Amino acid sequence: MAHISIAIIIILVLILVIILAIYCGVRYLQKKTRDVSQALFGTEHITEAAEKMRVENATTPKSVASMTSLLLPKIATDFPEFHYDEMKERAENVLKGYLQAISAQNNSLLKDGNTELKQELEQHLQSLYAQGRHEHFENIRIHRTEINQYRKAAGRCIITFQSSLECFHYITEDTSARIEGSKEYKYQTRYNVDMIYIQDRSLVENDLDHALGLNCPNCGAPISSLGAKVCEYCGTPVIEYNIHTWTFSHVEEIH
């Protein structure tokens, strides 16, 4: 009986030691969590820290990768009459129109853009419809827009504008139940918007682009020289036509 009593005492002591070790470990982790929370967010309470971080994410605009100062001189060399402020405003209007069209489920709200972009929008709306979902973009505000890329490929000249914007972004189901996003916290993000000029329709890879490009308003000949001021066949001025031939082909969110 004495041996059994000693064994029980030893077991109880071991259990007590284990419980004490677990308690000390939990207290240590809680202290470390409070210390980290205090250092990073100025508060020991993790729930307050999480809320503070959420508010900070909702109010801090995303940065944009600006290459404007480097690329704009190259664009101006190819297209002397290119007006940066006008084109930037067009790009921002296209981005707003694209998101508003999704929110209203009405593709006619996208006023600018080529067939490629309008098909992209329609496919997005059809995908949402097939899932029984409705995507909302409310109170859209663009913080900053800069040129991010300028490239030439497959008969196209492409300028990519990158915009930092905020909005209330959330997704609901047909039952109106919100399944993603927030109506209380703003969503900070970035979008790329591609503006294109068809330089040579014989080289483009997309069949939709064969209907684009610039022709002389007088003789109908294709204008293939970048920034051409006159038609090389009949000498008709084409500067204004050239500028308005820029159109938009793609909108993409950058995470």
Side-chain angles (χ1 to χ4, degrees):
M1 293 294 293
H3 292 296
I4 295 176
S5 298
I6 294 173
I8 292 174
I9 292 172
I10 293 174
I11 292 173
L12 291 175
V13 169
L14 289 174
I15 292 174
L16 182 60
V17 170
I18 293 171
I19 292 175
L20 183 61
I22 292 173
Y23 174 78
C24 291
V26 170
R27 294 289 294 175
Y28 175 78
L29 289 176
Q30 288 176 337
K31 184 179 184 304
K32 292 296 292 184
T33 300
R34 289 196 299 270
D35 290 345
V36 171
S37 179
Q38 180 69 44
L40 294 177
F41 308 107
T43 176
E44 292 184 354
H45 302 289
I46 193 64
T47 53
E48 290 182 10
E51 178 66 14
K52 187 174 182 179
M53 184 167 58
R54 190 174 186 182
V55 170
E56 184 175 344
N57 288 338
T59 56
T60 304
K62 295 286 188 180
S63 61
V64 296
S66 174
M67 299 291 289
T68 303
S69 60
L70 179 64
L71 297 177
L72 191 56
K74 298 180 181 180
I75 297 171
T77 298
D78 291 340
F79 299 92
E81 303 302 321
F82 184 90
H83 298 291
Y84 170 66
D85 290 336
E86 174 188 342
M87 296 304 190
K88 181 176 74 169
E89 183 178 359
R90 282 183 64 191
E92 291 180 343
N93 288 337
V94 164
L95 177 55
K96 288 180 180 178
Y98 188 90
L99 300 180
Q100 289 167 350
I102 293 174
S103 191
Q105 298 178 311
N106 181 358
N107 55 17
S108 68
L109 294 181
L110 180 62
K111 304 299 183 182
D112 202 351
N114 63 11
T115 303
E116 187 177 349
L117 180 60
K118 291 176 181 177
Q119 286 188 355
E120 179 182 296
L121 171 61
E122 183 61 28
Q123 289 172 0
H124 187 87
L125 290 174
Q126 288 178 358
S127 176
L128 289 170
Y129 179 79
Q131 299 175 67
R133 295 182 173 185
H134 184 185
E135 189 170 11
H136 305 261
F137 297 90
E138 299 175 355
N139 295 355
I140 299 170
R141 177 190 174 192
I142 295 179
H143 297 291
R144 183 183 178 189
T145 298
E146 298 287 349
I147 295 175
N148 176 249
Q149 295 182 63
Y150 175 49
R151 56 200 187 277
K152 307 170 189 177
R156 290 177 163 197
C157 298
I158 306 172
I159 298 174
T160 298
F161 289 92
Q162 188 169 108
S163 294
S164 167
L165 67 78
E166 69 176 29
C167 63
F168 291 106
H169 175 236
Y170 57 97
I171 297 176
T172 57
E173 291 184 324
D174 287 341
T175 58
S176 297
R178 180 163 50 87
I179 60 174
E180 186 179 321
S182 172
K183 294 183 180 181
E184 294 79 32
Y185 295 92
K186 288 187 176 179
Y187 178 61
Q188 302 286 345
T189 188
R190 291 171 296 183
Y191 276 88
N192 280 354
V193 178
D194 285 349
M195 170 184 275
I196 71 167
Y197 175 89
I198 304 303
Q199 180 189 3
D200 190 340
R201 280 172 289 189
S202 66
L203 298 178
V204 294
E205 299 170 343
N206 191 334
D207 289 338
L208 296 174
D209 290 335
H210 286 286
L212 302 174
L214 178 65
N215 291 83
C216 173
N218 180 50
C219 70
I223 307 299
S224 58
S225 298
L226 291 177
K229 296 179 181 294
V230 297
C231 172
E232 59 187 294
Y233 295 95
C234 70
T236 299
V238 294
I239 292 177
E240 292 302 319
Y241 294 94
N242 189 316
I243 293 303
H244 292 291
T245 300
W246 285 97
T247 187
F248 296 89
S249 64
H250 181 59
V251 172
E252 179 182 9
E253 184 175 13
I254 307 299
H255 295 284

